[in-house]
């Protein structure tokens, strides 16, 4: 079986805002002009696919209803490595985004948690700090 990239899809309320945020966090854009309601990004070998919550199709009507009712990110954590946790934390704070766990040493790394504009929880980690 051929190796494939891990791909994570997030449904977002404001596609342009989320796209800009993840780009400024170091994600690289993979242009797909034919997919106007999607934005493809990469971080290392992992793909992040942002889709417009209200304009991109859903494959299951009940899941669509539930997704649109509740916070789309509840229970999901995206882990993003960083070489400078303090700078990333300062960036997150300047953006006015919630921090749910201030930077702390957890033994194997320094981490902090925050919520993106759609409530997706992001854990930032810096190794060897």
């Amino acid at each position: 079986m051929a190796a494939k990239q891990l791909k994570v899809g997030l449904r977002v309320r404001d596609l342009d805002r989320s796209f800009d945020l993840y780009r400024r966090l170091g994600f690289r854009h993979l242009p797909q002009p034919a997919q106007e309601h999607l934005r493809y990004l990469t971080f290392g070998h992992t793909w992040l696919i942002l889709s417009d919550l209200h304009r991109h199709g859903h494959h299951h009507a009940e899941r669509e209803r539930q997704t649109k009712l509740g916070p789309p990110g509840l229970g999901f954590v995206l882990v993003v490595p960083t070489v400078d946790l303090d700078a990333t934390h300062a960036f997150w704070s300047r953006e006015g985004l919630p921090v749910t766990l201030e930077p702390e040493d957890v033994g194997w790394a320094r981490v902090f948690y925050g919520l993106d504009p759609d409530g997706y929880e992001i854990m930032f980690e810096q190794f060897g700090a």
Side-chain angles (χ1 to χ4, degrees), residues 40-76:
Y40 291 83
L41 301 121
T42 61
F43 196 99
H45 294 290
T46 302
W47 287 33
L48 177 64
I49 304 168
L50 303 175
S51 63
D52 187 305
L53 176 64
H54 298 287
R55 299 181 70 197
H56 187 261
H58 291 73
H59 68 277
H60 187 274
E62 180 57 21
R63 294 281 302 157
E64 176 181 5
R65 187 187 71 73
Q66 290 174 355
T67 299
K68 288 180 177 180
L69 283 176
L74 192 60
F76 176 86

PDB file of all heavy atoms in Angstrom, residues 40-76:
ATOM      1  N   TYR A  40      -6.602  24.558   0.841  1.00  0.00           N
ATOM      2  CA  TYR A  40      -5.664  23.484   1.143  1.00  0.00           C
ATOM      3  C   TYR A  40      -4.362  24.086   1.656  1.00  0.00           C
ATOM      4  O   TYR A  40      -3.803  24.988   1.030  1.00  0.00           O
ATOM      5  CB  TYR A  40      -5.373  22.655  -0.109  1.00  0.00           C
ATOM      6  CG  TYR A  40      -6.533  21.831  -0.591  1.00  0.00           C
ATOM      7  CD1 TYR A  40      -7.532  22.388  -1.384  1.00  0.00           C
ATOM      8  CD2 TYR A  40      -6.633  20.487  -0.248  1.00  0.00           C
ATOM      9  CE1 TYR A  40      -8.605  21.626  -1.829  1.00  0.00           C
ATOM     10  CE2 TYR A  40      -7.706  19.725  -0.692  1.00  0.00           C
ATOM     11  CZ  TYR A  40      -8.685  20.295  -1.478  1.00  0.00           C
ATOM     12  OH  TYR A  40      -9.736  19.536  -1.908  1.00  0.00           O
ATOM     13  N   LEU A  41      -3.896  23.557   2.788  1.00  0.00           N
ATOM     14  CA  LEU A  41      -2.635  23.998   3.366  1.00  0.00           C
ATOM     15  C   LEU A  41      -1.837  22.767   3.781  1.00  0.00           C
ATOM     16  O   LEU A  41      -2.404  21.683   3.953  1.00  0.00           O
ATOM     17  CB  LEU A  41      -2.886  24.875   4.595  1.00  0.00           C
ATOM     18  CG  LEU A  41      -3.712  26.123   4.336  1.00  0.00           C
ATOM     19  CD1 LEU A  41      -4.955  26.106   5.187  1.00  0.00           C
ATOM     20  CD2 LEU A  41      -2.901  27.354   4.601  1.00  0.00           C
ATOM     21  N   THR A  42      -0.533  22.939   3.958  1.00  0.00           N
ATOM     22  CA  THR A  42       0.289  21.855   4.480  1.00  0.00           C
ATOM     23  C   THR A  42       1.134  22.369   5.637  1.00  0.00           C
ATOM     24  O   THR A  42       1.459  23.557   5.713  1.00  0.00           O
ATOM     25  CB  THR A  42       1.235  21.256   3.416  1.00  0.00           C
ATOM     26  OG1 THR A  42       2.127  22.265   2.957  1.00  0.00           O
ATOM     27  CG2 THR A  42       0.465  20.658   2.266  1.00  0.00           C
ATOM     28  N   PHE A  43       1.483  21.439   6.503  1.00  0.00           N
ATOM     29  CA  PHE A  43       2.429  21.677   7.589  1.00  0.00           C
ATOM     30  C   PHE A  43       3.255  20.408   7.645  1.00  0.00           C
ATOM     31  O   PHE A  43       2.758  19.368   8.094  1.00  0.00           O
ATOM     32  CB  PHE A  43       1.699  21.928   8.905  1.00  0.00           C
ATOM     33  CG  PHE A  43       2.567  22.544   9.963  1.00  0.00           C
ATOM     34  CD1 PHE A  43       2.527  23.904  10.196  1.00  0.00           C
ATOM     35  CD2 PHE A  43       3.430  21.762  10.715  1.00  0.00           C
ATOM     36  CE1 PHE A  43       3.319  24.473  11.174  1.00  0.00           C
ATOM     37  CE2 PHE A  43       4.228  22.327  11.689  1.00  0.00           C
ATOM     38  CZ  PHE A  43       4.180  23.690  11.921  1.00  0.00           C
ATOM     39  N   GLY A  44       4.477  20.463   7.140  1.00  0.00           N
ATOM     40  CA  GLY A  44       5.254  19.230   6.985  1.00  0.00           C
ATOM     41  C   GLY A  44       4.550  18.338   5.983  1.00  0.00           C
ATOM     42  O   GLY A  44       4.208  18.764   4.886  1.00  0.00           O
ATOM     43  N   HIS A  45       4.288  17.102   6.374  1.00  0.00           N
ATOM     44  CA  HIS A  45       3.609  16.159   5.485  1.00  0.00           C
ATOM     45  C   HIS A  45       2.097  16.108   5.718  1.00  0.00           C
ATOM     46  O   HIS A  45       1.398  15.339   5.076  1.00  0.00           O
ATOM     47  CB  HIS A  45       4.197  14.752   5.665  1.00  0.00           C
ATOM     48  CG  HIS A  45       5.616  14.659   5.225  1.00  0.00           C
ATOM     49  ND1 HIS A  45       5.992  14.732   3.906  1.00  0.00           N
ATOM     50  CD2 HIS A  45       6.760  14.536   5.933  1.00  0.00           C
ATOM     51  CE1 HIS A  45       7.299  14.640   3.813  1.00  0.00           C
ATOM     52  NE2 HIS A  45       7.784  14.531   5.032  1.00  0.00           N
ATOM     53  N   THR A  46       1.613  16.902   6.655  1.00  0.00           N
ATOM     54  CA  THR A  46       0.186  16.891   6.980  1.00  0.00           C
ATOM     55  C   THR A  46      -0.549  17.985   6.217  1.00  0.00           C
ATOM     56  O   THR A  46      -0.087  19.118   6.150  1.00  0.00           O
ATOM     57  CB  THR A  46      -0.014  17.090   8.496  1.00  0.00           C
ATOM     58  OG1 THR A  46       0.674  16.050   9.195  1.00  0.00           O
ATOM     59  CG2 THR A  46      -1.484  17.051   8.867  1.00  0.00           C
ATOM     60  N   TRP A  47      -1.680  17.612   5.662  1.00  0.00           N
ATOM     61  CA  TRP A  47      -2.536  18.576   4.969  1.00  0.00           C
ATOM     62  C   TRP A  47      -3.621  19.058   5.919  1.00  0.00           C
ATOM     63  O   TRP A  47      -4.175  18.271   6.693  1.00  0.00           O
ATOM     64  CB  TRP A  47      -3.219  17.930   3.778  1.00  0.00           C
ATOM     65  CG  TRP A  47      -2.364  17.653   2.596  1.00  0.00           C
ATOM     66  CD1 TRP A  47      -1.040  17.311   2.578  1.00  0.00           C
ATOM     67  CD2 TRP A  47      -2.784  17.658   1.244  1.00  0.00           C
ATOM     68  NE1 TRP A  47      -0.622  17.106   1.288  1.00  0.00           N
ATOM     69  CE2 TRP A  47      -1.676  17.312   0.445  1.00  0.00           C
ATOM     70  CE3 TRP A  47      -3.994  17.925   0.615  1.00  0.00           C
ATOM     71  CZ2 TRP A  47      -1.734  17.229  -0.928  1.00  0.00           C
ATOM     72  CZ3 TRP A  47      -4.063  17.834  -0.753  1.00  0.00           C
ATOM     73  CH2 TRP A  47      -2.940  17.503  -1.522  1.00  0.00           C
ATOM     74  N   LEU A  48      -3.933  20.342   5.838  1.00  0.00           N
ATOM     75  CA  LEU A  48      -5.069  20.922   6.541  1.00  0.00           C
ATOM     76  C   LEU A  48      -6.003  21.457   5.466  1.00  0.00           C
ATOM     77  O   LEU A  48      -5.599  22.274   4.635  1.00  0.00           O
ATOM     78  CB  LEU A  48      -4.632  22.047   7.476  1.00  0.00           C
ATOM     79  CG  LEU A  48      -5.750  22.773   8.220  1.00  0.00           C
ATOM     80  CD1 LEU A  48      -6.474  21.818   9.172  1.00  0.00           C
ATOM     81  CD2 LEU A  48      -5.198  23.965   8.979  1.00  0.00           C
ATOM     82  N   ILE A  49      -7.230  20.977   5.466  1.00  0.00           N
ATOM     83  CA  ILE A  49      -8.207  21.409   4.474  1.00  0.00           C
ATOM     84  C   ILE A  49      -9.307  22.178   5.197  1.00  0.00           C
ATOM     85  O   ILE A  49     -10.048  21.612   6.008  1.00  0.00           O
ATOM     86  CB  ILE A  49      -8.803  20.207   3.709  1.00  0.00           C
ATOM     87  CG1 ILE A  49      -7.679  19.382   3.078  1.00  0.00           C
ATOM     88  CG2 ILE A  49      -9.803  20.694   2.668  1.00  0.00           C
ATOM     89  CD1 ILE A  49      -8.128  18.036   2.549  1.00  0.00           C
ATOM     90  N   LEU A  50      -9.375  23.475   4.933  1.00  0.00           N
ATOM     91  CA  LEU A  50     -10.414  24.315   5.511  1.00  0.00           C
ATOM     92  C   LEU A  50     -11.583  24.353   4.542  1.00  0.00           C
ATOM     93  O   LEU A  50     -11.394  24.588   3.349  1.00  0.00           O
ATOM     94  CB  LEU A  50      -9.883  25.732   5.734  1.00  0.00           C
ATOM     95  CG  LEU A  50      -8.641  25.869   6.612  1.00  0.00           C
ATOM     96  CD1 LEU A  50      -8.160  27.316   6.633  1.00  0.00           C
ATOM     97  CD2 LEU A  50      -8.915  25.366   8.015  1.00  0.00           C
ATOM     98  N   SER A  51     -12.781  24.119   5.052  1.00  0.00           N
ATOM     99  CA  SER A  51     -13.960  24.179   4.194  1.00  0.00           C
ATOM    100  C   SER A  51     -14.989  25.127   4.799  1.00  0.00           C
ATOM    101  O   SER A  51     -15.155  25.195   6.019  1.00  0.00           O
ATOM    102  CB  SER A  51     -14.573  22.787   3.971  1.00  0.00           C
ATOM    103  OG  SER A  51     -15.037  22.237   5.175  1.00  0.00           O
ATOM    104  N   ASP A  52     -15.660  25.868   3.934  1.00  0.00           N
ATOM    105  CA  ASP A  52     -16.678  26.820   4.339  1.00  0.00           C
ATOM    106  C   ASP A  52     -17.855  26.061   4.961  1.00  0.00           C
ATOM    107  O   ASP A  52     -18.487  25.233   4.296  1.00  0.00           O
ATOM    108  CB  ASP A  52     -17.128  27.629   3.123  1.00  0.00           C
ATOM    109  CG  ASP A  52     -18.070  28.757   3.482  1.00  0.00           C
ATOM    110  OD1 ASP A  52     -19.103  28.494   4.129  1.00  0.00           O
ATOM    111  OD2 ASP A  52     -17.780  29.896   3.091  1.00  0.00           O
ATOM    112  N   LEU A  53     -18.135  26.328   6.223  1.00  0.00           N
ATOM    113  CA  LEU A  53     -19.169  25.610   6.971  1.00  0.00           C
ATOM    114  C   LEU A  53     -20.526  25.635   6.280  1.00  0.00           C
ATOM    115  O   LEU A  53     -21.257  24.648   6.300  1.00  0.00           O
ATOM    116  CB  LEU A  53     -19.295  26.199   8.378  1.00  0.00           C
ATOM    117  CG  LEU A  53     -20.379  25.642   9.287  1.00  0.00           C
ATOM    118  CD1 LEU A  53     -20.127  24.166   9.592  1.00  0.00           C
ATOM    119  CD2 LEU A  53     -20.462  26.447  10.570  1.00  0.00           C
ATOM    120  N   HIS A  54     -20.858  26.746   5.655  1.00  0.00           N
ATOM    121  CA  HIS A  54     -22.198  26.899   5.085  1.00  0.00           C
ATOM    122  C   HIS A  54     -22.266  26.733   3.574  1.00  0.00           C
ATOM    123  O   HIS A  54     -23.351  26.608   3.028  1.00  0.00           O
ATOM    124  CB  HIS A  54     -22.777  28.260   5.484  1.00  0.00           C
ATOM    125  CG  HIS A  54     -22.926  28.393   6.964  1.00  0.00           C
ATOM    126  ND1 HIS A  54     -23.897  27.737   7.680  1.00  0.00           N
ATOM    127  CD2 HIS A  54     -22.196  29.080   7.869  1.00  0.00           C
ATOM    128  CE1 HIS A  54     -23.773  28.025   8.962  1.00  0.00           C
ATOM    129  NE2 HIS A  54     -22.754  28.831   9.096  1.00  0.00           N
ATOM    130  N   ARG A  55     -21.128  26.708   2.892  1.00  0.00           N
ATOM    131  CA  ARG A  55     -21.167  26.668   1.436  1.00  0.00           C
ATOM    132  C   ARG A  55     -20.568  25.405   0.838  1.00  0.00           C
ATOM    133  O   ARG A  55     -20.754  25.140  -0.343  1.00  0.00           O
ATOM    134  CB  ARG A  55     -20.465  27.901   0.880  1.00  0.00           C
ATOM    135  CG  ARG A  55     -21.191  29.172   1.353  1.00  0.00           C
ATOM    136  CD  ARG A  55     -20.583  30.417   0.847  1.00  0.00           C
ATOM    137  NE  ARG A  55     -20.827  30.509  -0.587  1.00  0.00           N
ATOM    138  CZ  ARG A  55     -20.159  31.308  -1.383  1.00  0.00           C
ATOM    139  NH1 ARG A  55     -19.217  32.068  -0.920  1.00  0.00           N
ATOM    140  NH2 ARG A  55     -20.421  31.335  -2.665  1.00  0.00           N
ATOM    141  N   HIS A  56     -19.846  24.630   1.638  1.00  0.00           N
ATOM    142  CA  HIS A  56     -19.287  23.372   1.139  1.00  0.00           C
ATOM    143  C   HIS A  56     -20.200  22.234   1.577  1.00  0.00           C
ATOM    144  O   HIS A  56     -20.692  22.225   2.703  1.00  0.00           O
ATOM    145  CB  HIS A  56     -17.868  23.160   1.671  1.00  0.00           C
ATOM    146  CG  HIS A  56     -17.192  21.992   1.058  1.00  0.00           C
ATOM    147  ND1 HIS A  56     -17.113  20.779   1.686  1.00  0.00           N
ATOM    148  CD2 HIS A  56     -16.585  21.831  -0.141  1.00  0.00           C
ATOM    149  CE1 HIS A  56     -16.488  19.921   0.897  1.00  0.00           C
ATOM    150  NE2 HIS A  56     -16.148  20.538  -0.206  1.00  0.00           N
ATOM    151  N   GLY A  57     -20.420  21.286   0.706  1.00  0.00           N
ATOM    152  CA  GLY A  57     -21.379  20.217   0.968  1.00  0.00           C
ATOM    153  C   GLY A  57     -21.055  19.337   2.163  1.00  0.00           C
ATOM    154  O   GLY A  57     -19.921  19.242   2.602  1.00  0.00           O
ATOM    155  N   HIS A  58     -22.087  18.711   2.681  1.00  0.00           N
ATOM    156  CA  HIS A  58     -21.983  17.727   3.755  1.00  0.00           C
ATOM    157  C   HIS A  58     -22.453  16.388   3.182  1.00  0.00           C
ATOM    158  O   HIS A  58     -23.335  16.346   2.338  1.00  0.00           O
ATOM    159  CB  HIS A  58     -22.877  18.114   4.936  1.00  0.00           C
ATOM    160  CG  HIS A  58     -22.402  19.321   5.677  1.00  0.00           C
ATOM    161  ND1 HIS A  58     -22.493  20.601   5.173  1.00  0.00           N
ATOM    162  CD2 HIS A  58     -21.819  19.445   6.879  1.00  0.00           C
ATOM    163  CE1 HIS A  58     -22.001  21.452   6.044  1.00  0.00           C
ATOM    164  NE2 HIS A  58     -21.582  20.776   7.092  1.00  0.00           N
ATOM    165  N   HIS A  59     -21.896  15.307   3.679  1.00  0.00           N
ATOM    166  CA  HIS A  59     -22.260  13.989   3.141  1.00  0.00           C
ATOM    167  C   HIS A  59     -23.421  13.337   3.893  1.00  0.00           C
ATOM    168  O   HIS A  59     -23.927  12.310   3.469  1.00  0.00           O
ATOM    169  CB  HIS A  59     -21.041  13.054   3.145  1.00  0.00           C
ATOM    170  CG  HIS A  59     -20.594  12.670   4.518  1.00  0.00           C
ATOM    171  ND1 HIS A  59     -19.785  13.473   5.280  1.00  0.00           N
ATOM    172  CD2 HIS A  59     -20.871  11.582   5.254  1.00  0.00           C
ATOM    173  CE1 HIS A  59     -19.571  12.888   6.439  1.00  0.00           C
ATOM    174  NE2 HIS A  59     -20.224  11.739   6.457  1.00  0.00           N
ATOM    175  N   HIS A  60     -23.863  13.941   4.993  1.00  0.00           N
ATOM    176  CA  HIS A  60     -24.891  13.315   5.822  1.00  0.00           C
ATOM    177  C   HIS A  60     -25.750  14.435   6.421  1.00  0.00           C
ATOM    178  O   HIS A  60     -25.242  15.308   7.132  1.00  0.00           O
ATOM    179  CB  HIS A  60     -24.198  12.500   6.923  1.00  0.00           C
ATOM    180  CG  HIS A  60     -25.116  11.673   7.738  1.00  0.00           C
ATOM    181  ND1 HIS A  60     -25.779  12.160   8.836  1.00  0.00           N
ATOM    182  CD2 HIS A  60     -25.475  10.371   7.625  1.00  0.00           C
ATOM    183  CE1 HIS A  60     -26.505  11.204   9.367  1.00  0.00           C
ATOM    184  NE2 HIS A  60     -26.340  10.113   8.654  1.00  0.00           N
ATOM    185  N   ALA A  61     -27.037  14.414   6.168  1.00  0.00           N
ATOM    186  CA  ALA A  61     -27.932  15.510   6.557  1.00  0.00           C
ATOM    187  C   ALA A  61     -27.966  15.744   8.070  1.00  0.00           C
ATOM    188  O   ALA A  61     -27.922  16.890   8.527  1.00  0.00           O
ATOM    189  CB  ALA A  61     -29.346  15.248   6.032  1.00  0.00           C
ATOM    190  N   GLU A  62     -28.031  14.680   8.872  1.00  0.00           N
ATOM    191  CA  GLU A  62     -28.105  14.853  10.329  1.00  0.00           C
ATOM    192  C   GLU A  62     -26.777  15.397  10.873  1.00  0.00           C
ATOM    193  O   GLU A  62     -26.774  16.254  11.753  1.00  0.00           O
ATOM    194  CB  GLU A  62     -28.471  13.534  11.018  1.00  0.00           C
ATOM    195  CG  GLU A  62     -28.571  13.633  12.530  1.00  0.00           C
ATOM    196  CD  GLU A  62     -29.582  14.672  13.043  1.00  0.00           C
ATOM    197  OE1 GLU A  62     -30.502  15.070  12.296  1.00  0.00           O
ATOM    198  OE2 GLU A  62     -29.442  15.095  14.207  1.00  0.00           O
ATOM    199  N   ARG A  63     -25.648  14.934  10.348  1.00  0.00           N
ATOM    200  CA  ARG A  63     -24.339  15.465  10.768  1.00  0.00           C
ATOM    201  C   ARG A  63     -24.228  16.942  10.380  1.00  0.00           C
ATOM    202  O   ARG A  63     -23.688  17.740  11.132  1.00  0.00           O
ATOM    203  CB  ARG A  63     -23.195  14.674  10.132  1.00  0.00           C
ATOM    204  CG  ARG A  63     -23.075  13.247  10.581  1.00  0.00           C
ATOM    205  CD  ARG A  63     -22.412  13.060  11.911  1.00  0.00           C
ATOM    206  NE  ARG A  63     -21.088  13.629  11.918  1.00  0.00           N
ATOM    207  CZ  ARG A  63     -20.451  14.014  13.015  1.00  0.00           C
ATOM    208  NH1 ARG A  63     -21.018  13.857  14.184  1.00  0.00           N
ATOM    209  NH2 ARG A  63     -19.252  14.532  12.965  1.00  0.00           N
ATOM    210  N   GLU A  64     -24.766  17.297   9.232  1.00  0.00           N
ATOM    211  CA  GLU A  64     -24.752  18.704   8.814  1.00  0.00           C
ATOM    212  C   GLU A  64     -25.540  19.552   9.810  1.00  0.00           C
ATOM    213  O   GLU A  64     -25.073  20.599  10.262  1.00  0.00           O
ATOM    214  CB  GLU A  64     -25.346  18.855   7.420  1.00  0.00           C
ATOM    215  CG  GLU A  64     -25.452  20.302   6.969  1.00  0.00           C
ATOM    216  CD  GLU A  64     -26.058  20.457   5.588  1.00  0.00           C
ATOM    217  OE1 GLU A  64     -26.501  19.465   4.981  1.00  0.00           O
ATOM    218  OE2 GLU A  64     -26.086  21.609   5.120  1.00  0.00           O
ATOM    219  N   ARG A  65     -26.714  19.091  10.175  1.00  0.00           N
ATOM    220  CA  ARG A  65     -27.546  19.834  11.124  1.00  0.00           C
ATOM    221  C   ARG A  65     -26.829  19.998  12.463  1.00  0.00           C
ATOM    222  O   ARG A  65     -26.753  21.092  13.017  1.00  0.00           O
ATOM    223  CB  ARG A  65     -28.883  19.114  11.329  1.00  0.00           C
ATOM    224  CG  ARG A  65     -29.892  19.895  12.176  1.00  0.00           C
ATOM    225  CD  ARG A  65     -31.129  19.067  12.486  1.00  0.00           C
ATOM    226  NE  ARG A  65     -30.864  17.999  13.440  1.00  0.00           N
ATOM    227  CZ  ARG A  65     -30.644  18.179  14.756  1.00  0.00           C
ATOM    228  NH1 ARG A  65     -30.661  19.382  15.269  1.00  0.00           N
ATOM    229  NH2 ARG A  65     -30.417  17.149  15.550  1.00  0.00           N
ATOM    230  N   GLN A  66     -26.260  18.916  12.972  1.00  0.00           N
ATOM    231  CA  GLN A  66     -25.558  18.966  14.255  1.00  0.00           C
ATOM    232  C   GLN A  66     -24.327  19.867  14.191  1.00  0.00           C
ATOM    233  O   GLN A  66     -24.058  20.625  15.125  1.00  0.00           O
ATOM    234  CB  GLN A  66     -25.151  17.557  14.682  1.00  0.00           C
ATOM    235  CG  GLN A  66     -26.309  16.688  15.075  1.00  0.00           C
ATOM    236  CD  GLN A  66     -25.888  15.252  15.362  1.00  0.00           C
ATOM    237  OE1 GLN A  66     -24.730  14.881  15.184  1.00  0.00           O
ATOM    238  NE2 GLN A  66     -26.832  14.435  15.783  1.00  0.00           N
ATOM    239  N   THR A  67     -23.581  19.789  13.098  1.00  0.00           N
ATOM    240  CA  THR A  67     -22.378  20.604  12.944  1.00  0.00           C
ATOM    241  C   THR A  67     -22.721  22.084  12.933  1.00  0.00           C
ATOM    242  O   THR A  67     -22.043  22.897  13.551  1.00  0.00           O
ATOM    243  CB  THR A  67     -21.625  20.224  11.653  1.00  0.00           C
ATOM    244  OG1 THR A  67     -21.233  18.850  11.743  1.00  0.00           O
ATOM    245  CG2 THR A  67     -20.399  21.077  11.438  1.00  0.00           C
ATOM    246  N   LYS A  68     -23.800  22.438  12.266  1.00  0.00           N
ATOM    247  CA  LYS A  68     -24.178  23.850  12.176  1.00  0.00           C
ATOM    248  C   LYS A  68     -24.770  24.376  13.479  1.00  0.00           C
ATOM    249  O   LYS A  68     -24.726  25.572  13.741  1.00  0.00           O
ATOM    250  CB  LYS A  68     -25.144  24.063  11.014  1.00  0.00           C
ATOM    251  CG  LYS A  68     -24.428  23.932   9.674  1.00  0.00           C
ATOM    252  CD  LYS A  68     -25.360  24.147   8.515  1.00  0.00           C
ATOM    253  CE  LYS A  68     -24.601  24.091   7.203  1.00  0.00           C
ATOM    254  NZ  LYS A  68     -25.467  24.285   6.041  1.00  0.00           N
ATOM    255  N   LEU A  69     -25.299  23.489  14.330  1.00  0.00           N
ATOM    256  CA  LEU A  69     -25.869  23.908  15.613  1.00  0.00           C
ATOM    257  C   LEU A  69     -24.812  24.165  16.674  1.00  0.00           C
ATOM    258  O   LEU A  69     -24.922  25.115  17.448  1.00  0.00           O
ATOM    259  CB  LEU A  69     -26.835  22.835  16.141  1.00  0.00           C
ATOM    260  CG  LEU A  69     -28.199  22.772  15.489  1.00  0.00           C
ATOM    261  CD1 LEU A  69     -29.008  21.602  16.048  1.00  0.00           C
ATOM    262  CD2 LEU A  69     -28.949  24.083  15.690  1.00  0.00           C
ATOM    263  N   GLY A  70     -23.819  23.291  16.756  1.00  0.00           N
ATOM    264  CA  GLY A  70     -22.861  23.366  17.846  1.00  0.00           C
ATOM    265  C   GLY A  70     -21.534  23.945  17.421  1.00  0.00           C
ATOM    266  O   GLY A  70     -21.319  24.190  16.243  1.00  0.00           O
ATOM    267  N   PRO A  71     -20.657  24.158  18.388  1.00  0.00           N
ATOM    268  CA  PRO A  71     -19.326  24.621  17.996  1.00  0.00           C
ATOM    269  C   PRO A  71     -18.634  23.512  17.195  1.00  0.00           C
ATOM    270  O   PRO A  71     -18.541  22.382  17.666  1.00  0.00           O
ATOM    271  CB  PRO A  71     -18.624  24.877  19.326  1.00  0.00           C
ATOM    272  CG  PRO A  71     -19.397  24.116  20.343  1.00  0.00           C
ATOM    273  CD  PRO A  71     -20.799  23.964  19.802  1.00  0.00           C
ATOM    274  N   PRO A  72     -18.176  23.807  15.973  1.00  0.00           N
ATOM    275  CA  PRO A  72     -17.615  22.751  15.131  1.00  0.00           C
ATOM    276  C   PRO A  72     -16.383  22.089  15.716  1.00  0.00           C
ATOM    277  O   PRO A  72     -16.093  20.949  15.408  1.00  0.00           O
ATOM    278  CB  PRO A  72     -17.293  23.459  13.810  1.00  0.00           C
ATOM    279  CG  PRO A  72     -17.404  24.901  14.069  1.00  0.00           C
ATOM    280  CD  PRO A  72     -18.197  25.097  15.311  1.00  0.00           C
ATOM    281  N   GLY A  73     -15.654  22.775  16.597  1.00  0.00           N
ATOM    282  CA  GLY A  73     -14.405  22.209  17.086  1.00  0.00           C
ATOM    283  C   GLY A  73     -14.482  21.428  18.375  1.00  0.00           C
ATOM    284  O   GLY A  73     -13.474  20.939  18.864  1.00  0.00           O
ATOM    285  N   LEU A  74     -15.655  21.266  18.953  1.00  0.00           N
ATOM    286  CA  LEU A  74     -15.765  20.626  20.257  1.00  0.00           C
ATOM    287  C   LEU A  74     -15.196  19.212  20.241  1.00  0.00           C
ATOM    288  O   LEU A  74     -15.592  18.378  19.439  1.00  0.00           O
ATOM    289  CB  LEU A  74     -17.232  20.599  20.699  1.00  0.00           C
ATOM    290  CG  LEU A  74     -17.476  20.227  22.150  1.00  0.00           C
ATOM    291  CD1 LEU A  74     -16.780  21.209  23.087  1.00  0.00           C
ATOM    292  CD2 LEU A  74     -18.960  20.201  22.437  1.00  0.00           C
ATOM    293  N   GLY A  75     -14.224  18.962  21.125  1.00  0.00           N
ATOM    294  CA  GLY A  75     -13.644  17.631  21.265  1.00  0.00           C
ATOM    295  C   GLY A  75     -12.483  17.328  20.346  1.00  0.00           C
ATOM    296  O   GLY A  75     -11.876  16.272  20.426  1.00  0.00           O
ATOM    297  N   PHE A  76     -12.108  18.257  19.489  1.00  0.00           N
ATOM    298  CA  PHE A  76     -11.023  18.047  18.537  1.00  0.00           C
ATOM    299  C   PHE A  76      -9.830  18.892  18.963  1.00  0.00           C
ATOM    300  O   PHE A  76      -9.985  20.053  19.332  1.00  0.00           O
ATOM    301  CB  PHE A  76     -11.484  18.471  17.133  1.00  0.00           C
ATOM    302  CG  PHE A  76     -10.412  18.380  16.095  1.00  0.00           C
ATOM    303  CD1 PHE A  76     -10.175  17.189  15.435  1.00  0.00           C
ATOM    304  CD2 PHE A  76      -9.644  19.481  15.772  1.00  0.00           C
ATOM    305  CE1 PHE A  76      -9.189  17.091  14.477  1.00  0.00           C
ATOM    306  CE2 PHE A  76      -8.654  19.402  14.817  1.00  0.00           C
ATOM    307  CZ  PHE A  76      -8.431  18.202  14.165  1.00  0.00           C
TER     308      PHE A  76
END
